[in-house]
Amino acid sequence: MNVFVAAMQLSVAGAFVSIPVVRARFGATATAAAQAELSRQGVRTTVLEENGMRFDAGGHETWAPVSIATVLAATAALNLIGNSMAELFSWIVLGLVVAINCVILHSNLTATTSVQAAFARKGDPELTRIDVAALLKAAESGFPRWVWVLQNARHVIVFGAAALALTTLALA
């Protein structure tokens, strides 16, 4: 049981690490595509950087998934060595990971409206005139088409592996 739960935790950790890896590899291309779209819209191309919007692996796009993966790996290690606290930590960590992934999925599904609302809150008139849907579509074009498949597979792995691990713990 412990080895299976640890394997599921490591699968989820790998899924989380895929985010900054893809952004590190293709983020510059996505940023360039977004800047080209801003230029097409007649908006200064530095406005995203000035307001903290990134498509690369900087900031929370790296530290958050890497931190989550690290905690999952540590919990998996506790399972593998048979630590008495492994089960409790597994319940807590996997429960939090499922909740976090729900937030990520919601963010992915509502990206346009979320970015529009964030831009409106900034109070920069240049941000409010951006066609956000076109901007995000342009940035998305900077990533290879298979990234969409990876993104969805990542959600399946996170939810599926967490569910399998939690079910295993519940039945143990």
Side-chain angles (χ1 to χ4, degrees):
M1 176 206 56
N2 286 3
V3 171
F4 180 76
V5 171
M8 294 301 98
Q9 290 167 324
L10 292 173
S11 297
V12 174
F16 269 90
V17 170
S18 71
I19 298 167
V21 169
V22 167
R23 284 180 167 268
R25 172 65 178 88
F26 301 105
T29 306
T31 299
Q35 289 172 338
E37 175 59 24
L38 289 174
S39 184
R40 189 195 66 73
Q41 292 183 29
V43 176
R44 71 182 185 277
T45 59
T46 58
V47 73
L48 298 179
E49 183 179 339
E50 293 164 6
N51 287 282
M53 185 173 186
R54 306 173 68 139
F55 298 102
D56 64 7
H60 79 280
E61 296 292 349
T62 295
W63 70 255
V66 168
S67 296
I68 291 166
T70 301
V71 171
L72 281 159
T75 308
L78 291 176
N79 273 297
L80 290 172
I81 64 171
N83 185 285
S84 63
M85 297 298 290
E87 185 175 347
L88 174 63
F89 287 151
S90 293
W91 277 103
I92 293 168
V93 170
L94 289 168
L96 287 172
V97 163
V98 168
I100 290 166
N101 207 62
C102 286
V103 171
I104 292 168
L105 182 57
H106 180 266
S107 174
N108 290 346
L109 296 173
T110 63
T112 300
T113 55
S114 297
V115 172
Q116 287 168 333
F119 283 179
R121 283 191 305 273
K122 292 278 187 173
D124 182 339
E126 187 119 17
L127 287 174
T128 58
R129 63 187 195 92
I130 294 173
D131 178 348
V132 173
L135 172 68
L136 295 178
K137 184 173 176 71
E140 187 177 294
S141 75
F143 293 99
R145 295 184 70 104
W146 57 260
V147 171
W148 182 86
V149 174
L150 175 66
Q151 175 181 313
N152 291 308
R154 195 193 75 68
H155 288 302
V156 169
I157 291 167
V158 170
F159 288 129
L164 286 170
L166 291 170
T167 301
T168 301
L169 289 169
L171 296 175

